[in-house]
């Protein structure tokens, strides 16, 4: 065991029992079942490229519809031999050794992942291939020295998890400065050709080449009685991500207005203050589509949350909503899934058994720590948590949204969702330990269903903070509360890319940072520039962040990039349609976008936006940046100048410039500059078509009739054509 109180305990690996495999049988449904000391182990080919290994708990456990796929009939092929069994599905094959239970995954016959080979003086292996503990399960896989590992949800540090101890557990992280994060998923993958997904709502600890445990092994600790592991083979990250999102789901469609600019503040103290901001944006001709009322802005904080407008400030909520709409804005309202004990709704829901309870059956009460709160973010009340496992509670909470939408709300910011404690119990019989992480999935599913019921599938979305495996089905997510400084910007970019490498296609950050004072003007500019090329774009924080209020040269630059954002909407819509088909995120990290170019992988702050735009955000106050231009020919986004890749790109970048490169041969569709997407009259428009070199790619402009004929663009309302080096 570790003697260092600052390191997690090192388990006594040698004391862990071996799986002790017994006889195996091949079932009629194409599954291999093998007797083990831990109970029957079932291995089956689930779908092409995916093999599932399960050891059930003694008693059935609640299921949360994390998976959307079922095993494909006939996908499993099983061969038995003297040394063990091989279960294949498509190009994947998992071998289970008869004498030891060791696992080996191959793709197209080539090994890609195997049980850990970390040796020991007194016994053959130091780490268990598979073992049962009082706390759950332990598995260990070997890592070669050059193996990179990605995924595991929204994390703020280096994208390559190698060397990290990562905990798949949702937390109110109170920032982006440590390992804790709001959105987690126990799914990891490697460019070596493998992925693994632990199908569980419970916590999972990942020692990914974590040196205090083993720098050469990936150790998994799964903290629940059931083991359900999916092993995925794929030629690269995109193929593995496609198979993972086929298991856990892909995003719902998004309304066009969501791609516009969102503005917010923590918080607008009166409706008049919010409307003053909305009118100011229009008067300054700064484009924007959505304005948000945070919790304290429309709810009475001591008695929230109860779907009630604060009567002291909102005597006519529908009139306020109408005023917002008259200015061409959509209205976003904040909520969280907690009800103050000071509100009559608490007693109503508790009386119905619709709130989580303690072990003694009494309604559980959650007390917020006072540590994060100050003069602006006042103390939150003691509250109960909605029990989304209770069908009637789920339906009741969902249906209560109808009045908000009827008054004029357009979208819900579904905040929090990380507050379930281990002591709590749910109506489905589960305890807080299993419910804690998946609660965010249930919560956002509920809010999304409410929005679809009110607005229809094509005009519905949520703006959620917490997430688990499967949360990508209910877009979108944003990145919590970053510090308003340069490292806050860098960590926010990594958080978005990390979520994208974990199945989340869409992401937004708080431009300028949430807390820590007013951001310096250069930081506002650089954050805006990076956010223009994210799937979604929001200005938010404690104090003014809105783009029309930024003074001087910095404000002029911010507003120019806001106008560029609207020109990119046809391209961004195409990237989202791509995500819905393939599972690829809008923001694609280098290892995902360029799997055959490992020199590019360590550059964690640059990304490919959609298929063709390489973005190199500037994250230092002096404008210095270093990026890597992947192999091939690229062209400058603004000038079309040709640049050869396969090299570092270092520069001191003027404040009004963001390095963006376009693949040579790309056709880029740009929309018109408008004040809001309502001006597009519900029809995607292309104002300009840019040819970068000789066109080779079909243009990415979903919803338009833009196409190539004889190498030239036609359609798309006859937008002008600009050729760069054709």
């Amino acid at each position: 065991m570790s003697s260092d109180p600052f390191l997690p305990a090192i388990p006594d690996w040698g004391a862990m029992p071996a799986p002790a495999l017994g006889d195996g049988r091949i079932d009629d449904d194409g599954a291999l079942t093998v007797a083990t000391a831990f109970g029957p182990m079932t291995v089956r080919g689930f779908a092409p490229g995916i093999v599932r290994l399960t050891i059930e708990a003694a008693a059935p456990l609640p299921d949360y519809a994390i998976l959307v796929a079922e095993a494909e009939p006939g996908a499993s092929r099983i061969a038995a031999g003297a040394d063990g069994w091989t279960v294949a599905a498509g190009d994947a094959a998992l071998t289970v050794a008869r004498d030891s239970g060791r696992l080996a995954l191959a793709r197209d016959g080539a090994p890609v992942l195997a049980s850990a080979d970390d040796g020991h003086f007194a016994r053959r292996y130091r780490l268990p291939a598979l073992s049962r503990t009082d706390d759950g399960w332990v598995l260990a896989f070997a890592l070669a020295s050059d193996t990179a590992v990605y995924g595991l949800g929204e994390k703020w540090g280096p994208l390559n998890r190698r060397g990290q101890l990562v905990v798949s557990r949702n937390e109110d992280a109170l920032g982006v400065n440590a390992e804790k994060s709001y959105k987690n998923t126990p799914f990891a993958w490697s460019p070596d050709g493998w992925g693994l997904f632990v199908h569980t709502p419970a916590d999972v600890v990942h020692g990914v080449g974590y040196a205090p445990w083993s720098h050469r092994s990936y150790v998994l600790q799964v903290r629940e009685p059931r083991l359900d592991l999916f092993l995925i083979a794929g030629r690269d990250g995109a193929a593995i991500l496609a198979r993972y999102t086929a298991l856990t789901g892909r995003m719902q469609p998004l309304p066009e207005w969501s791609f516009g600019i969102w503005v917010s503040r923590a918080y607008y103290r009166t409706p008049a203050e919010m409307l003053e901001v909305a009118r100011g944006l229009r008067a300054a001709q700064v484009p924007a589509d959505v304005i948000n009322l945070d919790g304290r802005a429309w709810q009475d904080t001591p008695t929230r949350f109860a779907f009630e407008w604060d009567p002291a400030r909102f005597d006519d909520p529908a009139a306020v909503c109408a005023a917002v709409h008259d200015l061409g804005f959509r209205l976003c309202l904040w909520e969280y899934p907690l009800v103050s004990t000071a509100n009559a709704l608490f007693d109503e829901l508790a009386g119905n058994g619709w709130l989580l309870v303690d072990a003694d059956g009494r309604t559980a009460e959650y007390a917020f720590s006072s540590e994060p709160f100050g003069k602006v973010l006042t103390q939150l009340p003691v509250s109960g948590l909605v029990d989304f496992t209770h069908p009637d509670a789920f339906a009741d909470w969902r249906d209560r949204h109808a009045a908000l939408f009827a008054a004029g709300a357009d979208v819900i910011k579904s905040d929090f969702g990380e507050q379930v404690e281990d002591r709590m119990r749910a109506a489905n019989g589960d305890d807080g330990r299993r419910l804690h992480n998946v609660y965010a999935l249930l919560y956002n599913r509920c809010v999304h269903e409410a929005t679809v019921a009110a607005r229809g599938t094509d005009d519905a979305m949520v703006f959620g903070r917490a997430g688990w495996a499967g949360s990508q089905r209910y877009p979108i997510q944003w990145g919590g509360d970053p510090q308003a400084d340069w490292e806050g910007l860098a960590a926010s970019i990594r958080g978005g890319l990390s979520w994208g490498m974990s199945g989340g296609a869409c992401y937004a950050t708080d431009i300028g940072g949430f807390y820590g004072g007013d951001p310096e003007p250069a930081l506002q500019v650089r954050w805006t520039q990076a956010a223009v090329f994210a799937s979604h774009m929001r200005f938010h924080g404690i104090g003014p962040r809105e783009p029309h209020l930024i003074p001087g040269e910095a404000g002029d630059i911010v507003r120019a990039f806001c106008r560029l954002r609207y020109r990119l909407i046809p391209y961004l819509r195409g990237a989202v349609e791509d995500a819905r088909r393939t599972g690829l995120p809008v923001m694609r990290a280098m290892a995902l976008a360029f799997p055959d170019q490992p020199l590019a992988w360590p550059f964690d702050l640059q990304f490919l936006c959609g298929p063709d735009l390489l973005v190199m955000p500037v994250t230092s106050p002096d404008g210095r940046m270093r990026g890597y231009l992947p192999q091939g020919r690229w062209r400058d986004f603004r000038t079309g100048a040709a640049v050869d890749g396969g090299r570092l790109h270092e520069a001191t970048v003027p404040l009004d410039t963001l390095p963006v490169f376009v693949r040579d041969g790309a056709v880029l569709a740009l929309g018109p500059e408008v004040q809001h997407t309502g001006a597009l009259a519900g029809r995607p428009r292309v104002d300009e078509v840019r040819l970068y070199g000789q066109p080779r790619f079909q243009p990415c402009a979903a919803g338009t009739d833009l196409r190539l004929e004889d190498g030239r663009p036609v359609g798309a309302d006859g937008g002008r054509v600009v050729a760069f080096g054709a």
Side-chain angles (χ1 to χ4, degrees), residues 490-516:
S492 294
I493 294 170
R494 289 193 296 266
L497 294 176
S498 176
W499 183 238
M501 298 177 103
S502 308
C506 294
Y507 197 80
T509 65
D510 290 350
I511 296 173
F514 182 76
Y515 73 94

Side-chain angles (χ1 to χ4, degrees), residues 225-574:
R226 181 180 192 241
L227 176 63
D228 193 7
L229 178 68
F230 287 86
L231 293 163
I232 306 170
R235 66 183 181 279
D236 54 25
I240 297 167
L241 203 58
R243 287 171 171 171
Y244 167 71
T245 54
L247 284 176
T248 58
R250 296 185 183 141
M251 61 181 292
Q252 301 291 312
L254 288 171
E256 184 165 50
W257 53 260
S258 75
F259 298 105
I261 291 172
W262 299 48
V263 294
S264 184
R265 187 186 298 178
Y267 55 99
Y268 299 122
R269 297 179 182 273
T270 65
E273 185 178 31
M274 182 263 291
L275 289 170
E276 180 184 6
V277 168
R279 294 187 184 106
L281 286 160
R282 293 292 180 246
Q285 296 188 318
V286 179
D289 262 85
V290 185
I291 195 162
N292 173 69
L293 288 174
D294 245 38
R296 294 169 179 83
W298 76 282
Q299 293 260 305
D300 172 54
T301 297
T303 60
R304 75 184 195 189
F305 179 84
F307 299 92
E308 300 168 343
W309 300 78
D310 181 4
R313 292 175 291 169
F314 292 87
D315 57 354
D316 190 350
V320 174
C321 296
V324 170
H325 293 155
D326 287 344
L327 291 166
F329 284 91
R330 306 283 179 150
L331 181 63
C332 178
L333 295 182
W334 175 100
E335 77 167 74
Y336 67 5
L338 298 100
V339 180
S340 170
T341 57
N343 195 296
L345 182 60
F346 175 89
D347 293 330
E348 178 185 343
L349 298 183
N352 290 332
W354 292 351
L355 299 177
L356 297 179
V357 300
D358 284 323
D360 60 5
R362 297 181 181 180
T363 302
E365 297 183 2
Y366 181 85
F368 285 90
S369 168
S370 61
E371 189 272 332
F373 302 109
K375 294 181 179 179
V376 176
L377 300 181
T378 49
Q379 177 66 45
L380 298 181
V382 175
S383 302
L385 278 76
V386 179
D387 185 353
F388 291 109
T389 76
H390 194 303
D392 294 336
F394 185 101
D396 177 77
W397 194 262
R398 178 195 64 209
D399 296 345
R400 286 178 185 271
H401 289 83
L404 299 181
F405 290 114
D410 296 282
V411 61
I412 299 296
K413 175 183 175 182
S414 47
D415 205 351
F416 288 76
E418 311 95 347
Q419 283 63 46
V420 177
E421 297 179 325
D422 288 358
R423 64 182 171 88
M424 297 177 181
R425 301 293 185 271
N428 68 349
D430 238 342
D431 59 18
R433 180 168 158 144
R434 286 192 87 243
L435 183 62
H436 174 88
N437 295 313
V438 79
Y439 188 82
L441 176 66
L442 304 181
Y443 165 40
N444 282 288
R445 179 188 300 160
C446 181
V447 178
H448 193 271
E449 287 186 10
T451 314
V452 169
R455 306 191 60 83
T457 301
D458 292 338
D459 202 37
M461 62 174 293
V462 297
F463 198 76
R465 184 175 81 174
W468 190 247
S471 286
Q472 69 273 5
R473 305 198 296 262
Y474 310 109
I476 72 165
Q477 289 78 41
W478 100 93
D481 303 326
Q483 188 170 330
D485 65 5
W486 294 93
E487 284 303 314
L489 166 59
S492 294
I493 294 170
R494 289 193 296 266
L497 294 176
S498 176
W499 183 238
M501 298 177 103
S502 308
C506 294
Y507 197 80
T509 65
D510 290 350
I511 296 173
F514 182 76
Y515 73 94
D518 294 332
E520 60 184 276
L523 177 64
Q524 280 273 46
V525 170
R526 297 306 191 187
W527 210 313
T528 300
Q529 290 171 340
V532 163
F533 294 89
S535 73
H536 289 76
M537 182 176 179
R538 181 177 75 146
F539 292 86
H540 181 65
I542 298 175
R545 295 288 191 274
E546 299 88 351
H548 70 296
L549 299 178
I550 302 171
E553 178 192 17
D556 291 339
I557 298 170
V558 165
R559 291 184 282 274
F561 273 87
C562 289
R563 292 190 290 272
L564 173 62
R565 170 70 183 194
Y566 278 74
R567 302 208 68 199
L568 288 169
I569 285 178
Y571 179 81
L572 293 168
R573 291 183 75 251

Side-chain angles (χ1 to χ4, degrees), residues 532-620:
V532 163
F533 294 89
S535 73
H536 289 76
M537 182 176 179
R538 181 177 75 146
F539 292 86
H540 181 65
I542 298 175
R545 295 288 191 274
E546 299 88 351
H548 70 296
L549 299 178
I550 302 171
E553 178 192 17
D556 291 339
I557 298 170
V558 165
R559 291 184 282 274
F561 273 87
C562 289
R563 292 190 290 272
L564 173 62
R565 170 70 183 194
Y566 278 74
R567 302 208 68 199
L568 288 169
I569 285 178
Y571 179 81
L572 293 168
R573 291 183 75 251
V576 165
E577 288 303 308
D578 195 27
R580 295 189 63 211
R581 289 192 305 271
T582 68
L584 279 172
V586 174
M587 298 170 60
R588 305 172 190 176
M590 292 294 97
L592 188 58
F594 301 97
D596 58 344
Q597 300 191 47
L599 291 178
W601 300 351
F603 290 84
D604 283 358
L605 297 177
Q606 65 184 54
F607 57 91
L608 199 65
C609 170
D612 292 323
L613 299 181
L614 182 67
V615 183
M616 294 185 178
V618 179
T619 58
S620 64

